[in-house]
Amino acid sequence: MKKKQEMQHRYIKKLTNFIPAVVLISAVAAQPVLAEETIEFGDITVTSTTIDDRFQGKRTEASNIAAISGEEVDKAHTESIKQVLQSVPGITTEYDSGDTLKIHIRGVENQVYMGEKPGVAIVIDGVPVFERTGKVNIDLDNIESIKVVKGGASYLFGDDALSGAVIITTKRGAKYAGLNLAAEAGSFGYQKGIARYGFSTEKLNGHVQVSQREADGYYDDSDYKASYVDGKLQYYIGDAADLTFGFEVADREKNSHGSVKGVTAAKTDPKSENIAYNDYANHFDVDLGKFYLTYARDTSAKGNLMVNLYQFGDNTEFVSSPVKGTEDDYNYDNDYAQVQRGLKTEFRKGGTGLGWMAGLDLRSNSYDNKTICLQTSPWGACATGPGTVSGDNETAEQVQAVYAEAKKGITDRLVLTANGRYDHINLDYSDNLDPTIDDDKSFDVGSYRLGANYAVSSKMDIYANGSTGFRAPSVEQLFLGSSSPSHKTAANPDLDEETSTNVELGLRAATNIGDLPVDIDIAIFQLDRKDHIRASGGQYSTDADSTYENIGDMRNRGLELSARTDPSKAISVDIAYTYLNAIFTDYEEFNQQLEPQGGVCPAGTTPVTQTTWPGPVVTVVNCLKEYDNTDNKTPRVPEHHLNLAVNVRPATGLLVTAELDAISDYYADEINQEKIDGHETVNLLVNYDRKIGQNKWSFFARVDNLFDKNYYNTARSSSSDGNDDGVYDGEDVSIVVNQGITYAAGASVKF
C-alpha cells in the first residue's frame, strides 16, 4: 500500500513539474508578434479599488489577480470556502473542521496561538475584517464575487497585507428579485436552509436573506451551528448617484476539537475521542455584526466618488486551558469584545492615456479582553479560586492612512502603474487590573507598488511589479506577553513591524492548444519577509528568559499557473498549479523544549527551572536544545499543489464536475524533522437546472474524497513542549485527521 502511494506521489510530482513548461511553451508558440498590430486599450481606468467590485478586466493590470464569481461559489455547494479557494494558485488554508479556516497566500503563515492575523487582508464589502479566532467566517450563500490579489498588498489595504488580499463582495442588485428557497443535507449531520426575498423598482432594489447551517461533525467535539441574517438595500439618487446600505448579523456556535497528539493517536483515535486531546480553546459563542453605508456618485463621464462608513462588531466567548484528565473542564472563561469602525473614501478618474485614484482610510477600533478563572490553579490570580478575574484589558487602535494609484499609457502597448500608501497606526493599551499600566505605541509605515503591463499582441500581455506589505506587532507582543498563562513569553515594546517585498513577472494570454481555446495566466515571484516576530525561547516557550523578538527572515519563491477553457462548451477544463519553495533565510536561534526525565536533562540541552506551586520547590521544567533553522523549509508549506477540474455538460441544464486536488509532502516543524506525506483526493459534483413553469429549480449532489483517502487536514508541531518521554518525534505532532468520504445533496427553487 505504501509503495503504491509513493508511486502516486512521484507521478503527481512529475505531472506538476511538466504542466507549466508545456502550457507556457504552447502559449508563446501560438502567438505571433505582429509589429504592425495596433493595440487599443481605450480609456485608462483604475480598477483596484478597496471599496467596490471594480475588477472588470485584467488588460492593464500589473499584478496577478484571480477572480471567482458568486455563481461559481453557489454552484460549488461546499461546506467551507476552502473548497472554493483551492482552485486559486498560491492559496493554502489552515483548516480543521466545520466552515471556518485561515487563508494563506504564497506560503506566508503566522500560526502561534489561536488569534493571530493571517498575513492576508480580508476585506468584505470594503470592511477590513479581523475576527478574534483569526479565522474567516463568511456566509457562503451571500457572495457576489471573490477577488484575490497576490503579493504585498499594503499599498491598498494597509496593516497585515503581507502576502496579498482576499476581497469579498456580497450579493446585490435587481437580479435577486423574487423568492428563493434552498435546502441541503449531508454527512455527519450537515444541514443547511436558505430563504431569500428580493425586490426591484425604478429607484430602489434590495434583498434580505436568512440562512442556517449546522453539523454534528466527524470529530468527538466538533459540532457547530451558524445562523445569518443579511441583506442589501440600494437607492438610486437620480441618474448619477446611489446609496447602498448593507448588513450581516451572525450567531455562531462552534466547538474546536479535532486534533490528536501523535501519529499513533491519528491511527487509533482519528475522531479525537480521548479526553487527553482537548483543544486549548473551545466552545466558541460568536456574535458578529457588520453594517455599512456607501455613497457613490459619478462626477463626470469618467469620474467617480465613493464614501463608505462601516462598523464591524465581534463578541466572542470561549473557554481555554483544559484541565488535564477531564472531559470538559477548563481553567478560564474568556469574553472578547471588538468593534471596528471606519470611513473610507475614494475618488477615481479615468481618461485617455491616464487614470488615477486617491483615497482616505480612517479607522477607530477597540478590543476588550476579560478572563475569569473557572478553576483554582497555580498561575497568578487563579490561585485565589474560581470567579477571580485574571485578566481585564482594553486596546484602542487608531489608523489614519492616505493612498493613491495612477496608471499611465506610455505607448499603445505599455501601461505603467504606481501605488503608494502611508499609514499612521497608534495602539493604546490599558490594564483594568493594574491602573499603572497604560502603554501606547505608534507605527508610521509607507507601502508601494510599481508595475507595468505590456501588450505583446491583442491576445497576450506581459506584466511585472514590485510591491510591499507590512504587519504591525500586536498588543500582546508589545505590552501583554503570552496569551497563555502557563507560558512565559515576555512582551517587547521595542518590536519593529514585519515587512514583505514581492517581485513578480507574469504572462496572460488567450491562445489555442490544438483546437482548444485556453485562457492562461502564469507568474513567477519572489516574496521576502523581514523581521518575523516569534518568541526567542521557541513557540509555546516556558523559558523564563523568552521574549518576543524580530527573530528572522524568510524567502518564498514560486510559480503560479492557471489555465481555463471556455466553460460554456460541452467539455471544459480548469487547471491551477503552484510551485512554492519557502525557506528561512535567517533563523539562527531556535530552542526546542524537551521534558526532563527524572528531573534530569539529557546531554546537549540547557535546563530551565522554576519554583512550582504551591512551592517553594525549584524543579527542572524543560530542557532547551538549540537549533539554527537558517535555510530550513518553512513548515506547513507544500512545494507542489495541483487542482484540476474537468466539467462535462452531457445534456441541457446538466453539469458534471470531477476535481483532482493534490499536494506534495511538507514539514510540520521548523527544525524540518517531521515530514507529512502529501495526498491526492478526487471530488465529484453534479448540478442540474430545470425550469418548471415560471420557476427555476436547481438540484445538486456532491461527493468529496471520493476514494476515501486517509490523510491529515493539518499537522503542526512547535518542536517545543509536551515531549513526555524526553524525545521529540512524530508522537509530539498535533494532527487533525481528514474525515474521509463525505456526501451532500440539495435543491433550490426561485419563484
Side-chain angles (χ1 to χ4, degrees), residues 355-367:
W356 60 274
M357 175 267 289
L360 176 68
D361 186 353
L362 304 176
R363 308 178 194 178
S364 180
N365 305 327
S366 63
Y367 312 94

Side-chain angles (χ1 to χ4, degrees), residues 546-601:
S546 180
T547 185
Y548 285 110
E549 300 283 359
N550 293 109
I551 203 83
D553 305 331
M554 306 174 191
R555 172 171 291 165
N556 299 359
R557 289 173 171 167
L559 176 148
E560 296 164 348
L561 163 73
S562 65
R564 307 189 71 177
T565 66
D566 187 346
S568 66
K569 301 297 183 182
I571 299 178
S572 62
V573 179
D574 299 337
I575 298 172
Y577 168 73
T578 306
Y579 166 75
L580 184 55
N581 180 30
I583 64 170
F584 295 108
T585 55
D586 181 17
Y587 198 170
E588 295 181 355
E589 296 182 15
F590 180 86
N591 292 288
Q592 183 190 57
Q593 299 183 28
L594 303 175
E595 294 283 338
Q597 300 300 296
V600 179
C601 285

Side-chain angles (χ1 to χ4, degrees), residues 570 648-656 685-690 699:
V648 181
R649 299 180 181 273
T652 302
L654 181 62
L655 175 63
V656 180
L685 173 65
V686 178
N687 279 286
Y688 180 59
D689 298 328
R690 183 173 181 180
F699 305 89

Side-chain angles (χ1 to χ4, degrees), residues 221-431:
D221 195 11
S222 61
D223 55 304
Y224 74 91
K225 179 185 291 186
S227 302
Y228 290 93
V229 179
D230 42 46
K232 199 167 287 187
L233 187 67
Q234 189 171 25
Y235 175 68
Y236 298 98
I237 309 170
D239 295 330
D242 64 79
L243 196 62
T244 302
F245 172 69
F247 66 93
E248 181 175 292
V249 178
D251 181 11
R252 304 176 57 86
E253 299 173 6
K254 182 184 183 330
N255 293 320
S256 181
H257 204 35
S259 64
V260 296
K261 183 181 176 182
V263 293
T264 299
K267 293 178 181 178
T268 61
D269 186 23
K271 293 186 178 182
S272 189
E273 295 174 309
N274 190 321
I275 61 174
Y277 306 130
N278 285 329
D279 284 350
Y280 181 81
N282 209 344
H283 303 315
F284 294 89
D285 186 351
V286 184
D287 293 322
L288 305 174
K290 176 169 65 66
F291 307 91
Y292 75 91
L293 183 67
T294 300
Y295 171 76
R297 183 176 186 84
D298 292 331
T299 58
S300 65
K302 300 174 184 177
N304 177 266
L305 173 68
M306 301 189 74
V307 181
N308 187 10
L309 286 167
Y310 64 84
Q311 175 175 301
F312 176 73
D314 174 354
N315 194 337
T316 298
E317 297 181 11
F318 62 99
V319 294
S320 62
S321 184
V323 179
K324 290 185 177 181
T326 65
E327 184 171 359
D328 210 28
D329 288 337
Y330 286 80
N331 283 305
Y332 303 99
D333 183 59
N334 304 267
D335 190 348
Y336 174 85
Q338 165 188 297
V339 179
Q340 296 175 244
R341 295 187 179 97
L343 178 148
K344 296 176 71 174
T345 181
E346 292 178 354
F347 181 77
R348 290 190 300 272
K349 182 76 171 179
T352 303
L354 178 66
W356 60 274
M357 175 267 289
L360 176 68
D361 186 353
L362 304 176
R363 308 178 194 178
S364 180
N365 305 327
S366 63
Y367 312 94
D368 298 341
N369 275 294
K370 190 171 186 177
T371 305
I372 298 175
C373 302
L374 297 175
Q375 309 285 337
T376 301
S377 75
W379 302 298
C382 293
T384 62
T388 305
V389 177
S390 61
D392 188 358
N393 57 77
E394 302 176 1
T395 301
E397 179 184 40
Q398 303 292 326
V399 179
Q400 296 93 37
V402 292
Y403 56 98
E405 177 175 337
K407 286 188 176 183
K408 173 65 177 175
I410 304 301
T411 69
D412 289 341
R413 296 175 182 270
L414 179 63
V415 176
L416 300 184
T417 301
N419 290 80
R421 177 174 169 126
Y422 177 81
D423 280 86
H424 174 74
I425 302 171
N426 181 260
L427 298 171
D428 190 343
Y429 170 77
S430 59
D431 190 330

Side-chain angles (χ1 to χ4, degrees), residues 671-683:
I671 66 173
N672 285 186
Q673 176 179 306
E674 299 305 316
K675 182 175 283 190
I676 307 302
D677 289 338
H679 62 264
E680 305 87 40
T681 58
V682 174
N683 309 317

Side-chain angles (χ1 to χ4, degrees), residues 172-221:
R172 64 180 176 191
K175 62 183 176 181
Y176 296 107
L179 177 64
N180 192 87
L181 302 175
E184 299 180 7
S187 303
F188 310 117
Y190 173 67
Q191 299 178 61
K192 183 175 79 171
I194 308 168
R196 180 176 64 239
Y197 177 74
F199 65 93
S200 179
T201 67
E202 184 178 351
K203 287 283 189 180
L204 191 66
N205 73 72
H207 72 272
V208 176
Q209 177 173 288
V210 179
S211 64
Q212 179 172 298
R213 62 174 66 208
E214 60 182 279
D216 298 328
Y218 167 76
Y219 309 101
D220 179 57
D221 195 11

